[in-house]
């Protein structure tokens, strides 16, 4: 059997991050996708086409997705082609995240609808089109999934990740002093041990 791991990065990341996972999956061809779009409807298509091509060559496709990369992946209609997924700090409730950002910036739903796009101080535009898409396309995901979550994640609350995990029957590992971005030596070591344990 030919096996592959596809890595989907988060905001500000790149496909080169997939190099880190090669030693963790020595029997797999590991590759990353450098997607060129940043909306769930466009990026989802990029991910779908990438996975479709991989399924033509490989028997087994494992997905590793980070942050918003997990959200994009769950919107890509790839569930039937993925054997297993590893999510790192996934965005699992985009509507809540958008609502939180609206609260942080004192933007009402009526204001967002009127303006279409509102710029914010934290570098993320609020978009009425994006919010409408999220509401009209609830996540459908039934792939066997294991999740790594940092207790100090500032984007996704513990309650939100628990609710998603229970609904999707996913496995959850919590790093008590972990953050949304796993990047320190201690955090990366925890991440590596998590994958080794869960991939047995």
């Amino acid at each position: 059997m030919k096996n592959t791991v596809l890595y989907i990065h988060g905001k500000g990341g790149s496909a080169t991050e997939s190099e880190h996972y090669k030693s963790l999956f020595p029997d797999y061809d590991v590759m990353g996708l450098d997607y060129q779009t940043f909306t769930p409807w466009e990026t989802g298509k990029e991910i779908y086409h990438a996975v479709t091509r991989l399924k033509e060559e490989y028997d087994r496709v494992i997905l590793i997705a980070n942050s918003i990369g997990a959200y994009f992946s769950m919107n890509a209609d790839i569930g039937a082609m993925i054997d297993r997924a590893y999510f790192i700090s996934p965005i699992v409730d985009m509507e809540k995240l958008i609502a939180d950002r609206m609260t942080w910036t004192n933007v009402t739903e009526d204001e967002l609808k009127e303006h279409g796009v509102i710029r914010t101080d934290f570098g993320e535009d609020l978009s009425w089109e994006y919010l409408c898409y999220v509401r009209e396309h609830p996540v459908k995901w039934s792939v066997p999934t294991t999740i790594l979550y940092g207790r100090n994640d500032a984007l996704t609350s513990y309650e939100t990740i628990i609710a998603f995990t229970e609904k999707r029957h996913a496995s959850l590992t919590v790093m008590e002093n972990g953050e949304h971005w796993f990047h320190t030596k201690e955090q990366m070591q925890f991440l590596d041990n998590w994958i080794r344990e869960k991939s047995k």
Side-chain angles (χ1 to χ4, degrees):
M1 289 181 66
K2 291 186 65 178
N3 304 319
T4 187
V5 169
L6 176 65
Y7 175 79
I8 307 294
H9 65 80
K11 186 177 187 292
S14 75
T16 59
E17 294 170 16
S18 64
E19 294 290 322
H20 177 83
Y21 299 93
K22 288 187 174 180
S23 64
L24 298 170
F25 290 91
D27 299 325
Y28 287 68
D29 291 337
V30 179
M31 58 199 72
L33 175 66
D34 257 330
Y35 50 86
Q36 302 301 307
T37 56
F38 299 95
T39 62
W41 54 92
E42 294 172 306
T43 313
K45 289 179 181 177
E46 288 191 65
I47 295 170
Y48 177 83
H49 292 311
V51 174
T52 299
R53 289 193 297 270
L54 290 176
K55 281 300 290 182
E56 293 174 356
E57 183 179 354
Y58 294 92
D59 301 296
R60 183 173 168 84
V61 179
I62 300 294
L63 175 71
I64 301 177
N66 199 320
S67 187
I68 199 170
Y71 178 72
F72 288 154
S73 297
M74 289 189 290
N75 275 274
D77 195 26
I78 58 173
M81 297 184 282
I82 301 296
D83 291 272
R84 189 170 185 183
Y86 297 83
F87 286 170
I88 303 160
S89 303
I91 302 297
V92 296
D93 190 339
M94 182 59 76
E95 184 175 358
K96 185 178 187 308
L97 180 56
I98 293 171
D100 288 344
R101 286 174 169 166
M102 290 170 67
T103 300
W104 300 337
T105 52
N106 293 314
V107 172
T108 67
E109 195 165 311
D110 287 340
E111 288 171 332
L112 186 57
K113 183 177 181 179
E114 179 184 348
H115 293 282
V117 175
I118 294 179
R119 311 243 178 240
T120 68
D121 293 335
F122 52 81
E124 294 279 355
D125 291 346
L126 293 169
S127 163
W128 177 250
E129 181 184 17
Y130 203 124
L131 177 58
C132 290
Y133 177 90
V134 169
R135 287 176 170 167
E136 293 165 5
H137 298 83
V139 165
K140 297 175 183 176
W141 188 251
S142 57
V143 174
T145 300
T146 183
I147 296 170
L148 177 60
Y149 173 82
R151 203 65 152 88
N152 298 323
D153 193 317
L155 295 184
T156 300
S157 71
Y158 182 67
E159 291 73 23
T160 298
I161 202 73
I162 286 292
F164 176 86
T165 301
E166 291 177 349
K167 185 175 182 180
R168 307 294 168 184
H169 306 290
S171 164
L172 176 66
T173 298
V174 178
M175 183 178 184
E176 287 301 326
N177 57 340
E179 305 165 273
H180 182 74
W181 179 33
F182 278 70
H183 66 289
T184 68
K185 182 177 180 180
E186 180 189 11
Q187 290 165 353
M188 293 307 293
Q189 186 173 21
F190 191 98
L191 185 155
D192 291 354
N193 290 337
W194 165 71
I195 284 189
R196 289 190 186 100
E197 178 189 342
K198 297 301 181 180
S199 61
K200 288 178 182 177

